[in-house]
């Protein structure tokens, strides 16, 4: 550990020598400008952009992707692999300068390619998915805003600009989750996502304050060069605060509750949130801040604990949900948990966390788009118990979904096998009690993943068709009336939706192997995360155990849902099942532990404000007003009243004179 | 009178002065109280006249004969007549409601008045008010000459200012009383046309014509024997003819405060009686004045 | 009679006049009460004049009369104007700055 620490220190110093960008990379700001332009035009352009709005919306992220790709290849040519694009000074107060600049390094470029690549595919898919929505143009405007905010987040070269992107992502997710705002559930879900994110944002905000007060700067370069001198206490505080921020964005325990409700948004939004943007921001933040975490084992332990707990939490929820999107959402939570676990494990973990993030971006987008395609063909039915035998009706979707399925459960040679097993192996290698517990949790999570994904595939594509009944209005994703009263007639989606899924499937197959074999990604990321220990090869002990557990989990699922008949109405289930259907009482916990006392506190504050503060002010005002009112009554306008006071005055004058003279 | 009083100095003269003083003190204070309490403005004016005449007598008694005459002529004669004149314009028989509308005003006014009286008398009691010097000032050229000397020597500037004030007041009164004509003045032709168009081109019937007697408040009888309301001025209470041809008692109208300025018979009788009562001291004072 | 008796009488008349100003609502009567107060002052002036043995007090009283006459003229003219617009001479009716 000591030797790796020394290496780490060296690597940090190497990381933060960035050079000004030259050549094409000077135009890296175009990556941001494209989606910003698209969002502005589409949101403020109004209905006159309806006809061609979606085309503009698709073109913008593709443009960003192209710029990103060129920048990426340009970056490969540099040995230090880090370039800074200074754009302008945002805030200049005394010695404090907040510059807006872009940092092009392996980590940010990885994210840029993922965000713009997967994002573009989701945009293309949305053309077909949202074809019948009258507000499609607005939807694309929000999507572009989302992409722009996320790009700002990952490209920022200081924490302040990162925070701006961070909040932009929160805003865009709010707008998109609540896109069908006429549905009360969607409006509530959007608010919930926003508010829970605010809790995390508070952590990030305080972390930035702390950075500024400790280091006097918020740039990555400045902060990371001072972490060693700052001491363990500050680093631990920063690490925990950043973890809180990351938990909010990435839906980790204890701020996980918004993610499942976020399924109220259109399916492409779910795909975008879960695969390319939003939830990955937390992982990015932690990996980006690795020089801070390096000096705080406490923070790293906390991250691994959060990750391990969330991966089990999400997997259990995923096992019980009958709603295909919510089941996938639980899966996302679980997979991000893996990434957190990896991010807490140090340099090797960073690499696999990011590798898993990229691979997950592909296969989770694939799965979500597949789910969207199924819903598209099933009158927006989301209940898996109403599916069955869909492989004959949706062959292309089935194929893509199957690839995603194999990738997520980690069957070689699909992506998940390489990346997830890397994380499990890293936990295994950590050693000690904590390593054993974390590895066990990760292994159980792998088995559970296999179980719920197999369950999902079996319930959806195999067995007997169970969709004869009319879809009740309440369960459909959109309350469109034109399909009500008809039994669903499953049909394959248009090609504009199929092609993105096929491309994503290819990505889901090859990404993991490409990144992990020969440690390509580890070498690529080395300037950021420090050199990773040598890889143990593809076939390791934990990897084989994980594979066995995966096979067991899949077999169990086949026994329960493949061989046996799936009931169209959910059975009561065990207490654990019922708890998992209720999101393991996450909302109930929040409500009873946070909301109720919060409400009491609020009421107390309101009471104090009304009676105490306002009371004081109002009493003073009332005293002045009341005495003025009484004084005013003296001014009756009656001459005789005035004469009376004059008369009294005269009498008083006489009295005074007498008192003086006598 | 002044040198009579000055030269007298006897006990008899002093006694008569005391008698007159106390008599007029009662009259003037009583009249003042009556003025405050009287409902009708006319009564108030008469009470004020009584007070002013009493004061004129006092002036005469204190060797100020010029002021006594001025008091009678200017105050009682001119100013008070001006009051009565205005009262006629706005309703001679108007009566005040004596209900107080401002809460506590009367009590407060009474307290203030009594307090002022008590305090001032207290002050006067402590002041060293010497005995009267019995009008040494009048001794030389007489009261009027002495006053004239003072006014045109020492007080000439205030006197000039006073004349300016009087002119200003006269002008002001004229300006205030002037009313802008809002419609063009009717020509003779228009007036005659209006008269014909009104349906009665002839003058209104005279009161008392063909009636039992020719009083102005007795309506004329029309050829069919019915009384004509038009024949009596609206300012006067109309007497109705009874069935037996004798004048009936006038109806007791509910007099509005200012709108019906017709005097009632009993009201005017009261006024006459009071005027007669208060004429007596006035007569005494003038008598005293002429004596000198 | 000693001048103090006259002064006391004038004080009493003055106070009665003042109370009259305060309690009466008819503007004409209010004016009369003011005249009464002025007269009471005159009485005191004359008494003091006699007490001091010079005519200055009488001159002042004379001026007071002149000023009172002017005041009555203007006051009654104002009264007529008010009566013309309001059909009332009650001082309480004129309790607002606007009609």
């Amino acid at each position: 550990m000591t030797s790796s620490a020394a290496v780490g220190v060296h690597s940090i110093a190497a990381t933060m020598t960035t050079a000004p960008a030259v050549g094409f990379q000077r135009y890296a700001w175009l990556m941001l400008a494209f989606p910003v332009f698209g969002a502005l035009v589409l949101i403020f352009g109004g209905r006159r952009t309806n006809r061609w709005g979606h085309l503009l919306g698709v073109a913008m992220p593709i443009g960003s992707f192209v710029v990103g790709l060129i920048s990426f290849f340009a970056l490969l040519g540099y040995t230090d692999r880090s370039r800074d694009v200074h754009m302008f000074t945002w805030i200049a107060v005394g010695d404090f300068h907040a510059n807006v600049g872009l940092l092009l390094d392996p980590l940010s470029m990885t994210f840029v390619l993922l965000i713009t690549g997967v994002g573009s595919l989701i945009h293309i898919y949305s053309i077909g998915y949202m074809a019948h929505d009258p507000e499609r143009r607005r939807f694309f405007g929000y999507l572009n805003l989302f992409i722009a905010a996320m790009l700002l987040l990952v490209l920022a070269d200081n924490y302040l600009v990162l925070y701006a992107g961070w909040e932009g992502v929160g805003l865009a997710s709010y707008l998109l989750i609540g896109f069908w705002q006429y549905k009360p559930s969607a409006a509530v879900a959007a608010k919930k996502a926003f508010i829970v994110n605010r809790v995390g944002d508070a952590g990030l905000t305080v972390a930035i304050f702390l950075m500024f007060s400790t280091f006097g700067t918020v740039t990555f370069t400045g902060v990371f060069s001072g972490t060693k001198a700052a001491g363990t206490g500050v680093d631990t505080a920063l690490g925990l605060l950043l973890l809180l921020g990351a938990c909010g964005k990435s839906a980790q325990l204890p701020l996980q509750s918004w993610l499942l409700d976020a399924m109220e948004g259109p399916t492409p939004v779910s795909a975008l949130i879960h695969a390319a943007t939003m939830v990955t921001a937390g992982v990015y933040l932690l990996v980006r801040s690795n020089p801070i975490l390096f000096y705080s084992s406490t923070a790293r332990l906390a991250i691994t604990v959060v990750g391990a707990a969330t991966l089990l939490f999400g997997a259990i929820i995923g096992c019980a949900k009958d709603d295909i999107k919510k089941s996938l959402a639980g899966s996302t939570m679980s997979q991000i948990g893996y990434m957190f676990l990896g991010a807490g494990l140090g340099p090797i973990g960073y690499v696999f966390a990011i590798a898993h993030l990229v691979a997950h971006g592909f296969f989770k987008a694939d799965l979500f788009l597949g789910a969207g395609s199924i819903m598209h063909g099933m009158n927006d039915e989301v209940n898996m118990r109403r599916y069955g035998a869909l492989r004959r009706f949706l062959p292309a979707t089935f194929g893509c979904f199957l690839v995603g399925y194999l990738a997520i459960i980690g069957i070689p040679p699909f992506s998940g096998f390489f990346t997830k097993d890397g994380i499990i192996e890293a936990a295994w290698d950590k050693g000690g009690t904590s390593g054993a517990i974390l590895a066990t949790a990760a292994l159980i999570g792998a088995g559970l993943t296999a179980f719920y994904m197999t369950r999902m595939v079996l319930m959806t594509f195999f067995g007997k068709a169970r969709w004869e009944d009319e879809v009740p209005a309440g369960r459909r994703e959109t309350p469109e009336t034109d399909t009500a009263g008809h039994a669903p007639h499953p049909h394959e989606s248009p090609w504009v939706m199929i092609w993105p899924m096929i491309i994503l499937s290819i990505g889901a197959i090859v990404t993991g192997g490409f990144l992990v074999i020969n440690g390509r990604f580890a070498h690529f990321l080395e300037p950021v995360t420090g050199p990773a220990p040598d890889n143990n090869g593809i076939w390791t002990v934990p990897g084989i155990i994980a594979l066995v557990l995966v096979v067991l989990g899949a077999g169990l699922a086949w026994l329960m849902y493949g061989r046996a008949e799936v009931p169209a109405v959910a059975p009561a289930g065990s207490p654990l099942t019922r708890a998992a259907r209720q999101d393991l009482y996450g909302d109930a916990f929040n409500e009873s532990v946070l909301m109720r006392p919060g409400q009491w506190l609020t009421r107390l504050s309101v009471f104090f404000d009304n009676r105490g503060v306002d009371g004081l002010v109002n009493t003073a005002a009332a005293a002045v007003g009341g005495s003025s009112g009484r004084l005013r009554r003296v001014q009756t306008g009656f001459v005789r009243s005035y004469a009376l006071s004059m008369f009294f005055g005269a009498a008083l004058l006489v009295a005074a004179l007498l008192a003086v003279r006598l | 009178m002044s040198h009579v009083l000055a030269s007298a100095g006897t006990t008899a003269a002093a006694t008569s002065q005391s008698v007159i003083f106390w008599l007029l003190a009662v009259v003037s204070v009583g009249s003042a109280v009556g003025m405050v309490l009287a409902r009708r403005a006319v009564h108030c004016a008469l009470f004020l006249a009584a007070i002013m005449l009493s004061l004129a007598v006092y002036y005469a008694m204190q060797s100020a004969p010029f002021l006594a005459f001025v008091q009678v002529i200017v105050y009682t004669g001119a100013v008070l007549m001006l009051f009565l004149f205005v009262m006629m314009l706005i309703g001679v028989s108007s009566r005040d409601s004596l209900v107080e509308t401002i809460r506590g005003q009367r009590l407060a006014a009474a307290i203030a008045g009594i307090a002022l009286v008590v305090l001032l008398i207290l002050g006067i009691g402590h002041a060293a008010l010497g005995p009267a010097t019995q009008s040494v000032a009048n001794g030389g050229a007489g009261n009027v000459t002495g006053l004239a000397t003072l006014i045109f020597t020492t007080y000439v500037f205030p006197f000039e200012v006073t004349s300016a004030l009087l002119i200003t007041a006269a002008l002001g009164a004229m300006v205030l009383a002037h009313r802008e004509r809002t419609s063009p003045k009717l020509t003779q032709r228009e007036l005659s046309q209006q008269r014909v168009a009104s349906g009665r081109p002839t003058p209104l019937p005279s009161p008392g014509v063909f009636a039992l007697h020719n009083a102005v408040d007795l309506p004329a009888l029309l050829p069919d024997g019915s009384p004509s309301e038009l024949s009596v001025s609206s300012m006067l209470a109309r007497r109705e003819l009874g069935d037996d041809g004798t004048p009936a008692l006038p109806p007791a109208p509910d007099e509005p405060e200012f709108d019906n300025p017709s005097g009632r018979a009993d009201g005017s009788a009261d006024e006459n009686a009071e005027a007669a009562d208060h004429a007596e001291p006035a007569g005494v004072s003038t008598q005293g004045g002429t004596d000198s | 009679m000693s001048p103090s008796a006259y002064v006391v009488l004038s004080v009493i008349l003055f106070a009665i006049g003042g109370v009259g100003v305060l309690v009466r609502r008819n503007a004409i009567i209010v004016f009369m009460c003011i005249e009464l107060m002025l007269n009471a002052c005159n009485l005191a002036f004359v008494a003091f004049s006699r007490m001091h043995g010079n005519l200055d007090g009488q001159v002042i009283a004379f001026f007071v009369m002149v000023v009172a006459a002017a005041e009555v003229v203007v006051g009654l003219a104002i009264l007529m104007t008010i009566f013309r617009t309001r059909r009332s001479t009650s001082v309480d009716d004129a309790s607002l700055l606007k009609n």
Side-chain angles (χ1 to χ4, degrees):
Chain A
M1 199 61 201
T2 46
S3 66
S4 77
V7 171
V9 173
H10 177 72
S11 74
I12 291 159
T15 306
M16 284 305 122
T17 49
T18 59
V22 292
F24 183 79
Q25 287 186 335
R26 278 179 301 162
Y27 304 105
W29 53 268
L30 279 172
M31 284 188 279
L32 275 173
F34 278 129
V36 167
F37 172 74
L40 289 178
V41 168
L42 293 179
I43 293 173
F44 296 110
R47 267 174 298 188
R48 66 182 73 89
T49 60
N50 267 358
R51 216 155 35 83
W52 44 268
H54 55 283
L55 297 177
L56 180 77
V58 169
M60 291 300 113
I62 291 177
S64 291
F65 179 69
V66 171
V67 175
L69 209 59
I70 297 171
S71 302
F72 169 73
F73 282 117
L75 194 70
L76 283 180
Y78 302 124
T79 48
D80 56 352
R81 298 208 194 102
S82 178
R83 285 294 178 271
D84 192 46
V85 185
H86 176 73
M87 290 167 73
F88 57 90
T89 302
W90 181 21
I91 304 169
V93 183
D95 293 336
F96 177 70
H97 291 276
N99 295 322
V100 174
L102 305 182
L103 178 67
L104 304 179
D105 73 349
L107 185 61
S108 64
M109 286 319 295
T110 307
F111 269 88
V112 165
L113 292 183
L114 176 72
I115 293 161
T116 54
V118 175
S120 301
L121 292 174
I122 293 170
H123 273 70
I124 296 167
Y125 176 90
S126 302
I127 296 177
Y129 191 82
M130 300 297 282
H132 303 300
D133 196 298
E135 296 278 354
R136 180 168 69 166
R137 184 251 327 153
R138 186 164 64 91
F139 181 74
F140 273 92
Y142 292 163
L143 281 187
N144 276 356
L145 183 65
F146 209 161
I147 297 284
M150 194 64 195
L151 285 174
L152 183 66
L153 196 163
V154 298
L155 282 170
D157 71 345
N158 63 62
Y159 278 102
L160 200 64
V161 178
L162 180 146
Y163 186 72
W166 190 270
E167 293 297 349
V169 169
L171 168 69
S173 68
Y174 169 80
L175 292 171
L176 283 169
I177 293 169
F179 183 72
W180 288 318
Q181 74 273 52
Y182 45 80
K183 283 200 300 181
S185 56
V188 170
K191 274 193 284 186
K192 187 175 182 183
F194 198 75
I195 291 167
V196 174
N197 267 296
R198 296 303 311 169
V199 178
D201 295 347
L204 181 58
T205 317
V206 177
I208 293 171
F209 295 161
L210 187 58
M211 282 171 199
F212 182 64
S213 68
T214 310
F215 307 111
T217 175
V218 290
T219 59
F220 292 150
T221 326
V223 170
F224 297 158
S225 59
T227 45
K228 191 182 180 191
T232 316
V234 173
D235 287 337
T236 304
L238 280 177
L240 292 177
L241 287 168
L242 291 173
L243 173 62
L244 179 62
C247 280
K249 258 316 168 250
S250 294
Q252 299 296 291
L253 283 174
L255 302 177
Q256 83 293 353
S257 59
W258 64 270
L259 190 69
L260 288 157
D261 288 0
M263 291 300 116
E264 289 295 338
T267 307
V269 174
S270 306
L272 201 58
I273 288 179
H274 289 242
T277 60
M278 190 86 180
V279 294
T280 61
V283 182
Y284 171 80
L285 182 70
L286 292 179
V287 175
R288 171 60 77 198
S289 308
N290 68 77
I292 297 173
L293 303 178
F294 185 84
Y295 291 104
S296 171
S297 55
T298 316
R300 269 180 290 148
L301 185 66
I303 294 170
T304 54
V305 168
V306 165
T310 311
L311 81 87
L312 289 175
F313 193 90
I316 292 169
I317 290 176
C319 290
K321 288 285 181 184
D322 290 330
D323 182 327
I324 186 168
K325 285 177 72 180
K326 295 209 167 171
S327 189
L328 283 173
S331 149
T332 300
M333 224 192 267
S334 172
Q335 300 302 314
I336 303 286
Y338 273 109
M339 296 170 209
F340 266 54
L341 176 60
L345 288 172
I348 183 65
Y350 297 140
V351 174
F352 282 111
I354 300 299
H356 191 52
L357 192 150
V358 175
H360 176 256
F362 282 103
F363 62 66
K364 187 49 66 68
D366 188 17
L367 288 171
F368 261 115
L369 297 190
S373 176
I374 295 164
M375 286 154 54
H376 186 78
M378 293 289 290
N379 282 359
D380 292 329
E381 170 66 85
V382 292
N383 189 346
M384 290 191 288
R385 292 187 187 276
R386 297 280 167 184
Y387 293 165
L390 287 179
R391 67 182 185 280
R392 290 195 304 273
F393 300 93
L394 305 162
T397 305
F398 171 62
C400 296
F401 203 89
L402 199 64
V403 171
Y405 158 71
L406 292 171
I408 192 172
I409 67 171
I411 297 291
F414 294 92
S415 298
F417 169 73
F418 297 100
T419 56
K420 197 200 292 177
D421 282 6
I423 295 172
I424 297 172
E425 190 194 317
W428 183 277
D429 284 347
K430 186 172 187 279
T433 320
S434 62
I437 293 171
L438 293 174
T440 311
L443 286 169
I444 294 172
L448 285 173
T449 307
F451 175 80
Y452 66 74
M453 285 311 298
T454 311
R455 171 176 176 268
M456 189 185 297
V457 169
L458 288 174
M459 284 173 87
T460 306
F461 293 104
F462 293 90
K464 286 205 296 187
R466 299 182 294 273
W467 68 76
E468 283 82 1
D469 298 342
E470 176 196 343
V471 182
R475 279 213 314 279
R476 284 201 314 274
E477 195 183 48
T478 54
E480 291 168 7
T481 50
D482 55 341
T483 55
H486 300 290
H489 44 91
H491 57 88
E492 189 55 275
S493 301
W495 283 108
V496 73
M497 290 166 70
I498 297 295
W499 273 110
M501 287 158 62
I502 292 173
I503 296 170
L504 287 170
S505 300
I506 295 167
I509 295 169
V510 301
T511 319
F514 174 77
L515 294 177
V516 173
I517 293 171
N518 291 335
R520 275 197 198 93
F521 200 54
H523 290 306
F524 177 64
L525 281 184
E526 208 177 282
V528 180
T529 61
D534 280 341
N535 202 319
N536 292 344
I538 306 301
W539 301 100
T540 57
V541 177
I544 291 167
I545 296 175
L547 207 54
V548 171
L549 282 171
V550 163
V551 172
L552 283 177
L556 184 66
W558 181 76
L559 282 178
M560 286 174 69
Y561 299 99
R563 218 174 51 166
E565 188 68 21
V566 179
V569 178
S574 67
L576 184 63
T577 313
R578 286 201 295 272
R581 281 185 191 141
Q582 298 294 318
D583 304 345
L584 290 177
Y585 303 122
D587 286 340
F589 176 83
N590 284 345
E591 201 164 296
S592 57
V593 175
L594 300 173
M595 194 191 88
R596 293 271 159 72
Q599 280 182 335
W600 277 109
L601 207 64
T602 312
R603 274 182 213 142
L604 205 68
S605 308
V606 167
F607 181 80
F608 175 73
D609 190 50
N610 283 345
R611 298 293 169 85
V613 179
D614 284 7
L616 203 67
V617 174
N618 289 344
T619 308
V624 172
S627 52
S628 308
R630 281 184 191 85
L631 276 178
R632 181 181 60 81
R633 247 173 255 160
V634 174
Q635 299 290 321
T636 49
F638 294 126
V639 183
R640 296 191 292 136
S641 299
Y642 304 153
L644 180 65
S645 35
M646 275 174 70
F647 207 70
F648 263 116
L652 274 178
L653 214 60
V654 173
L657 274 173
L658 288 180
V660 171
R661 299 300 294 272
L662 298 184
Chain B
M1 184 177 120
S2 55
H3 60 87
V4 171
L5 289 170
S7 61
T10 60
T11 321
T15 311
S16 69
Q17 274 203 18
S18 281
V19 170
I20 294 171
F21 175 82
W22 286 112
L23 189 68
L24 289 183
V26 171
V27 167
S28 57
V29 171
S31 298
V33 171
M35 191 178 81
V36 171
L37 297 181
R39 290 188 71 182
R40 290 189 181 215
V42 173
H43 297 179
C44 288
L46 291 173
F47 281 126
L48 186 61
I51 297 165
M52 285 172 170
L53 291 175
S54 308
L55 289 186
V57 175
Y58 283 140
Y59 295 162
M61 276 162 63
Q62 300 197 77
S63 59
F66 176 72
L67 275 184
F69 282 108
V70 170
Q71 173 84 0
V72 173
I73 295 166
V74 174
Y75 248 126
T76 322
V79 172
L80 208 60
M81 286 313 114
L82 196 58
F83 271 109
L84 288 170
F85 188 66
V86 171
M87 236 176 278
M88 274 173 59
L89 277 177
I90 66 179
V92 75
S93 72
S94 63
R95 285 196 297 182
D96 271 2
S97 151
L98 286 181
V99 177
E100 183 56 61
T101 48
I102 303 176
R103 201 156 52 87
Q105 176 83 4
R106 281 192 179 160
L107 184 67
I111 291 171
I114 291 166
L116 196 71
V117 167
V118 168
L119 286 166
L120 283 175
I121 289 174
L122 206 67
I124 292 159
H126 278 80
L129 289 185
T133 48
Q134 297 301 336
S135 76
V136 176
N138 285 345
N143 179 250
V144 177
T145 317
L147 276 178
T149 309
L150 267 180
I151 286 172
F152 289 106
T153 55
T154 316
Y155 294 98
V156 67
F157 186 68
F159 179 74
E160 293 297 332
V161 172
T162 312
S163 62
L165 175 74
L166 279 172
I167 291 175
T168 314
L171 275 174
M174 279 193 274
V175 168
L176 284 169
H178 177 69
R179 195 192 323 220
E180 286 292 327
R181 182 173 282 281
T182 53
S183 57
K185 191 178 179 185
L186 293 178
T187 61
Q188 195 69 32
R189 184 178 178 79
E190 282 166 337
L191 280 173
S192 62
Q193 281 169 346
Q194 209 172 49
R195 194 180 178 89
V196 172
S198 71
R200 178 179 279 280
T202 58
L204 293 171
S206 309
V209 179
F210 303 120
L212 289 182
H213 55 89
N214 58 355
V216 288
D217 57 352
L218 196 70
L221 289 179
L222 293 176
D224 58 357
S226 60
S228 166
E229 298 182 5
L230 289 170
S231 63
V232 180
S233 166
S234 60
M235 301 295 272
L236 299 171
R238 184 172 56 82
R239 286 191 197 172
E240 287 183 1
L241 285 176
D243 287 340
D244 54 352
T246 55
L249 282 173
D254 276 343
E255 290 179 64
E257 207 161 305
F258 296 111
D259 228 21
N260 185 4
S262 59
R264 287 196 333 198
D266 52 347
S268 55
D270 287 349
E271 285 161 22
N272 292 339
E274 280 162 13
D277 286 344
H278 298 301
E280 191 178 5
V284 169
S285 79
T286 43
Q287 195 65 38
T290 45
D291 282 347
S292 65
Chain C
M1 285 304 292
S2 94
S4 63
Y6 289 97
V7 174
V8 168
L9 178 64
S10 90
V11 164
I12 291 169
L13 288 177
F14 183 86
I16 293 173
V19 172
V21 169
L22 296 182
V23 299
R24 297 310 299 260
R25 284 199 298 278
N26 192 335
I28 298 174
I29 299 174
V30 170
F31 263 120
M32 290 186 206
C33 291
I34 292 170
E35 292 304 318
L36 174 59
M37 290 165 81
L38 289 169
N39 271 306
C41 293
N42 279 354
L43 181 60
F45 276 125
V46 172
F48 286 131
S49 164
R50 182 173 162 231
M51 188 184 90
H52 289 295
N54 58 30
L55 290 173
D56 291 61
Q58 294 187 23
V59 174
I60 300 294
F62 175 71
F63 281 131
V64 168
M65 282 183 190
V66 175
V67 172
E71 174 241 323
V72 165
V73 167
V74 177
L76 288 177
I78 292 171
L79 194 66
M80 285 303 300
T81 316
I82 291 174
F83 182 75
R84 206 183 283 153
T85 53
R86 289 177 184 275
R87 313 306 300 171
S88 158
T89 55
S90 170
V91 290
D92 284 1
D93 287 355
S95 64
L96 296 174
L97 283 177
K98 57 182 180 179
N99 279 320

